[in-house]
Amino acid sequence: MAIATINKQAEQPDIEQRIEDLLGQMTLAEKIGQMNQVESGGEHAIDHLRHSIQAGHVGSVLNQADVDIVNELQRIAVHESRLGIPLLVGRDVIHGFKTVMPIPLGQAASWNPDLVRECASVAAREAAKSGVNWTFAPMIDITRDPRWGRIAESLGEDAYLASELGVAMVRGFQGDDLGCAGSIVACAKHFAGYGAAESGRDYATTNIPENELRNVHLRPFEAAVDAGANTLMTSFSDLDGVPATANDFLLRQVLREEWGFDGFVVSDWDSVRQLAIHGLTEDDAASALAAASAGCDMEMAGGAYLHHLPRLVEEGHIDEALIDKSVANILRVKFRLGSFEHPYTDPSHLPGFGDEQALGMARQAALQSVVLLKNDHAALPLSAERLTSIAVIGPMADAPYEQLGTWIFDGDMQLSVTPLQALQDMLGGKVDVRYVPAMDTTRSRQSDAFDEAAAIAGDSDVAVMFLGEESILSGEAHSRADINLPGDQAELVRRVRAAGKPVIAVIMAGRPLTLSNIVDQVDAILFAWHPGSMGGPAIADLLFGIESPSGKLPVTFPRMVGQIPIYYNQKNTGKPPSPETIIHIDDIDPKASQTSHGLTAFHLDAGYTPLFAFGHGLSYARFEYQNLRTNASEIRPGDTLQVSAELTNTGEVPAEEVAQLYVRDLVGNVTRPVKELKGFKRLRLDPGQTIVVEFSLHTDELAFYDRNMQLVTEPGEFHAWIGGSSETGLRTEFRIVDSD
Ligand code: BGC
């Protein structure tokens, strides 16, 4: 796709010199104005913001995506403010803009950084066409809690996967050159620890020991910073007693001193003033002082900086040199973006919304994100030749808005193709498609239409049920304590099952759901997340075997909610469970003593395994791994180990497999996880084809933070696995030996 490119960075003299020159001309009020981000006021934005922009009181606006309004706001900033500094125009472009891609958690299930980068790039150019030059994405919070509604926006539970995909998103949004038309500034969020909210309740407290913070939660952020993410957003949460927005350990020590970040940090919405609500400060002035001193450069909404920082500087509570640093960080990003040279948007320089390429990407992304969780007796794929009728049942079959998922401010529902439409298009007159929604919403408790659904299923060759949760049930402030299918969906499944025909469940949801109560009632499950604009055609292709499913879970699926947090890279404990050491509550002998069972780490009613493991995902092909090898049994610090295995498609159809490399460091200065993902590759194989999958593993990739918070690679024994999920795979061993 030819995007009109204007290489703006090449025209720029030294950015640091320009920052210094500009800072030298700025009044204190103008400096603090740059640190102020304001809500745009929608269609009244121009009247609403004219005076404050003219006065130099606004550095950025958010939530304005009307290109004419944006251009006029930029004109006021450039021509009617004293120093003519253009605005950053921020928007939540999280998983697409007009064209909606699968939710980030769905994109993560593709395990395909190239695809994720392309999705972000399409989103960036559609957003840029509307004048938006800054997105609040990627969201790279690690979470192990599917109750948390914002898991939908995340890239899953694993720091390595989230790092690879987060970096891909940063590159997709920012392009090769931030100065090119169609590139927008990325914002890695929410720094840091937000995904560990207690009980998955949004905004709740997070307590993360520093060792775990560094080994898990901070890793994707460091990767995003290394990849050039120009901005970071603070988390709403209280982290170990210090809310992230005023957390100088995070914002100064880690981000600036250790990582050398030179972009800027924005608060989350009103999170500066919320410092007082947290109980960290007494009032807005104290909040502004705490956040600005800690290194939060820009305040999103709230106005505490604008109203209080001038006096705080004048009275000597905060050094103006600190303010200068924050302003320099903000101006640096504006210069990099090229907005001083090209403040306006000419939409004709960019392709149209929802064009063929965008919809093609949305379809490809949906296709690769769907995970085949189970497929008994090869119930899937269906065959259009062998079927005469198909019953399409359920509240998510024809829900063009709901399939888009959370964060779709600008999403164009008209672009959605639902599974029902796609199946009707695909099957034409050849197969009779009978549709019964059976429930008004997924939350419905009305079972009046269940008889009709069961009757139609009984009269058809197969029942395909579209279940799940609407987009409103996940996302910000939409956490759930019960993550079963909501409403009476499980009962609907039982009724349809009783009709005696094969039952296929296609589940669309913003999070892993606990599916224990339906898993045995259905023959196959395709987990489609919220698949975006082109979810329908992608699902139809998968149901009918035009393509084979290839998504793999980026997050563990618990059997029941009480197992949470359950994740693959847990620690071993001193009493690890095994099939021999556990018992189910129903099997306890009435005469058993308290100590006769249960001396290992498991639940009496849930065991210790998940329903579906991280990395799991079936295919219509069969993949076999053999001949796992390393090129050495011992390596030294600084060496690179080659780990390889042969992968064969022993099935009958071409398909893609995501080969995964896991490692265990057996002994550490701090205890180490039982497995850690260290590499993955998505590969397409024809039937009968064998490929050697090879991973390079440098000893630096085995480093971890020890109890002194030093990043170390320790000599010792390691296990390595290559396989198709975190619970399968061939295993080998190797050692790192001291260099001397
Ligand atoms: C969310 C952020 C988002 C911001 C702006 C907040 O409530 O936590 O993720 O970017 O709003 O819309």
Side-chain angles (χ1 to χ4, degrees):
M1 170 69 53
I3 291 180
T5 57
I6 312 160
N7 190 338
K8 293 171 264 186
Q9 289 200 333
E11 304 163 13
Q12 295 179 5
D14 177 45
I15 287 179
E16 295 309 311
Q17 188 57 54
R18 292 180 74 181
I19 294 172
E20 207 183 306
D21 292 349
L22 195 48
L23 263 175
Q25 300 170 53
M26 291 171 88
T27 63
L28 179 61
E30 284 165 337
K31 290 175 186 173
I32 291 166
Q34 286 302 305
M35 298 168 71
N36 184 35
Q37 183 185 49
V38 295
E39 216 283 328
S40 78
E43 61 192 43
H44 306 293
I46 296 167
D47 290 341
H48 177 59
L49 295 177
R50 184 187 307 278
H51 295 304
S52 28
I53 296 177
Q54 285 169 335
H57 288 166
V58 179
S60 170
V61 297
L62 81 160
N63 294 342
Q64 184 53 250
D66 177 318
V67 69
D68 295 329
I69 296 180
V70 171
N71 277 337
E72 177 57 12
L73 296 176
Q74 294 286 25
R75 195 198 59 75
I76 296 170
V78 170
H79 289 288
E80 297 180 9
S81 76
R82 195 176 72 88
L83 293 171
I85 303 174
L87 300 163
L88 281 167
V89 181
R91 186 77 161 161
D92 291 283
V93 183
I94 310 293
H95 54 110
F97 190 71
K98 298 281 183 207
T99 310
V100 180
M101 306 297 169
I103 55 169
L105 192 59
Q107 291 185 45
S110 75
W111 295 53
N112 187 343
D114 293 341
L115 178 114
V116 168
R117 194 189 60 237
E118 282 303 311
C119 286
S121 158
V122 168
R125 68 152 160 87
E126 287 194 349
K129 191 178 173 72
S130 301
V132 171
N133 56 22
W134 179 22
T135 176
F136 305 127
M139 195 270 233
I140 46 178
D141 297 316
I142 296 299
T143 185
R144 295 159 167 175
D145 198 330
R147 293 171 298 187
W148 191 46
R150 300 198 81 167
I151 195 171
E153 298 171 50
S154 84
L155 297 169
E157 76 185 31
D158 182 66
Y160 178 80
L161 184 62
S163 300
E164 295 291 302
L165 301 181
V167 163
M169 275 193 184
V170 168
R171 297 203 168 118
F173 288 128
Q174 296 194 164
D176 295 334
D177 178 351
L178 192 55
C180 288
S183 297
I184 60 178
V185 176
C187 180
K189 71 186 188 186
H190 304 85
F191 195 61
Y194 188 34
E198 282 180 352
S199 84
R201 197 161 43 91
D202 207 2
Y203 316 128
T205 302
T206 64
N207 283 299
I208 310 175
E210 185 180 339
N211 189 266
E212 173 147 324
L213 187 72
R214 288 182 180 276
N215 278 320
V216 178
H217 298 266
L218 295 184
R219 279 176 52 196
F221 287 95
E222 186 173 11
V225 166
D226 286 348
N230 273 287
T231 70
L232 262 68
M233 185 187 296
T234 62
S235 155
F236 278 125
S237 320
D238 174 353
L239 176 67
D240 298 347
V242 184
T245 302
N247 196 310
D248 51 344
F249 164 72
L250 285 175
L251 303 183
R252 292 222 181 273
Q253 183 181 320
V254 174
L255 185 60
R256 301 284 176 187
E257 288 165 27
E258 296 181 22
W259 298 350
F261 178 63
D262 68 357
F264 74 88
V265 175
V266 64
S267 77
D268 203 341
W269 183 280
D270 206 17
S271 70
V272 171
R273 292 195 314 167
Q274 288 165 18
L275 295 173
I277 305 173
H278 276 286
L280 188 84
T281 55
E282 274 184 5
D283 53 23
D284 289 354
S287 298
L289 179 61
S293 307
C296 176
D297 302 305
M298 183 183 278
E299 180 186 13
M300 179 189 289
Y305 278 11
L306 190 74
H307 294 119
H308 301 288
L309 282 182
R311 186 183 55 80
L312 290 164
V313 175
E314 278 151 15
E315 291 178 0
H317 299 290
I318 182 168
D319 192 342
E320 190 165 347
L322 269 190
I323 303 290
D324 286 356
K325 273 195 187 144
S326 284
V327 178
N329 293 336
I330 294 164
L331 293 178
R332 188 172 298 116
V333 174
K334 292 189 175 186
F335 280 120
R336 283 184 181 156
L337 188 60
S339 43
F340 285 84
E341 288 73 21
H342 300 279
Y344 305 116
T345 301
D346 180 350
S348 69
H349 277 178
L350 288 157
F353 296 120
D355 68 354
E356 205 179 314
Q357 193 226 3
L359 292 175
M361 270 320 299
R363 183 170 181 157
Q364 189 61 18
L367 201 63
Q368 295 193 13
S369 70
V370 176
V371 183
L372 180 61
L373 293 179
K374 75 169 262 184
N375 192 19
D376 286 354
H377 318 299
L380 285 177
L382 304 174
S383 158
E385 282 70 45
R386 288 203 291 272
L387 292 182
T388 55
S389 55
I390 167 173
V392 172
I393 297 169
M396 297 296 282
D398 195 29
Y401 177 79
E402 304 306 341
Q403 73 184 43
L404 298 181
T406 185
W407 281 128
I408 47 154
F409 281 154
D410 304 284
D412 181 355
M413 201 179 82
Q414 305 305 322
L415 296 173
S416 285
V417 182
T418 68
L420 179 68
Q421 292 163 352
L423 287 169
Q424 284 165 336
D425 288 350
M426 174 189 265
L427 301 173
K430 290 177 288 189
V431 177
D432 191 6
V433 179
R434 297 136 175 201
Y435 169 51
V436 190
M439 298 168 76
D440 287 342
T441 71
T442 65
R443 289 101 73 195
S444 166
R445 298 274 179 202
Q446 288 291 326
S447 55
D448 304 356
F450 288 12
D451 283 345
E452 186 195 359
I456 292 221
D459 277 351
S460 304
D461 296 332
V462 61
V464 183
M465 303 189 69
F466 290 88
L467 309 167
E469 51 176 24
E470 285 85 14
S471 46
I472 189 122
L473 297 188
S474 59
E476 184 174 350
H478 291 83
S479 296
R480 295 179 59 201
D482 168 357
I483 54 168
N484 280 337
L485 283 168
D488 278 347
Q489 292 182 87
E491 177 58 18
L492 177 63
V493 172
R494 274 189 286 279
R495 299 282 287 278
V496 169
R497 178 70 182 175
K501 295 295 170 61
V503 181
I504 311 297
V506 179
I507 298 177
M508 296 189 204
R511 58 160 63 77
L513 298 172
T514 40
L515 300 172
S516 300
N517 59 350
I518 64 139
V519 71
D520 296 329
Q521 304 280 321
V522 299
D523 298 281
I525 303 177
L526 280 173
F527 204 88
W529 317 99
H530 287 131
S533 306
M534 295 299 280
I539 290 168
D541 281 355
L542 293 170
L543 285 171
F544 281 87
I546 313 295
E547 285 287 341
S548 178
S550 58
K552 299 275 187 176
L553 294 180
V555 60
T556 303
F557 274 46
R559 294 176 191 279
M560 54 180 90
V561 81
Q563 289 182 294
I564 297 168
I566 179 168
Y567 49 96
Y568 86 96
N569 50 351
Q570 62 188 321
K571 302 289 185 70
N572 202 34
T573 80
K575 289 175 177 284
S578 66
E580 297 73 39
T581 64
I582 68 166
I583 187 164
H584 190 266
I585 195 165
D586 295 342
D587 302 327
I588 296 176
D589 178 345
K591 295 190 215 70
S593 72
Q594 179 66 23
T595 53
S596 54
H597 291 293
L599 292 175
T600 60
F602 73 101
H603 289 111
L604 283 171
D605 42 10
Y608 63 95
T609 58
L611 187 58
F612 298 109
F614 176 84
H616 169 76
L618 304 173
S619 165
Y620 299 152
R622 274 188 311 278
F623 290 108
E624 282 178 23
Y625 291 84
Q626 296 178 77
N627 295 328
L628 176 62
R629 290 203 177 92
T630 57
N631 67 337
S633 55
E634 288 189 353
I635 53 170
R636 290 171 194 284
D639 285 352
T640 298
L641 183 76
Q642 304 296 332
V643 193
S644 66
E646 285 170 17
L647 170 63
T648 304
N649 177 353
T650 60
E652 275 95 54
V653 292
E656 294 191 6
E657 163 74 337
V658 179
Q660 301 160 37
L661 170 72
Y662 294 90
V663 167
R664 177 171 180 186
D665 180 353
L666 270 79
V667 178
N669 163 287
V670 292
T671 54
R672 310 289 300 123
V674 292
K675 268 187 185 178
E676 284 182 291
L677 183 70
K678 292 291 175 190
F680 58 89
K681 284 188 176 158
R682 178 177 264 274
L683 303 152
R684 189 168 188 90
L685 277 82
D686 287 326
Q689 189 181 356
T690 297
I691 289 180
V692 176
V693 194
E694 186 166 62
F695 294 97
S696 298
L697 191 61
H698 188 275
T699 50
D700 284 354
E701 294 170 71
L702 298 168
F704 63 96
Y705 286 91
D706 68 7
R707 67 182 86 172
N708 302 315
M709 305 310 147
Q710 297 302 310
L711 191 61
V712 294
T713 306
E714 291 182 341
E717 192 178 346
F718 291 78
H719 289 168
W721 294 257
I722 294 182
S725 83
S726 65
E727 62 177 0
T728 57
L730 307 170
R731 197 188 91 183
T732 185
E733 288 100 44
F734 67 94
R735 289 189 73 81
I736 298 184
V737 293
D738 263 330
S739 358
D740 34 333

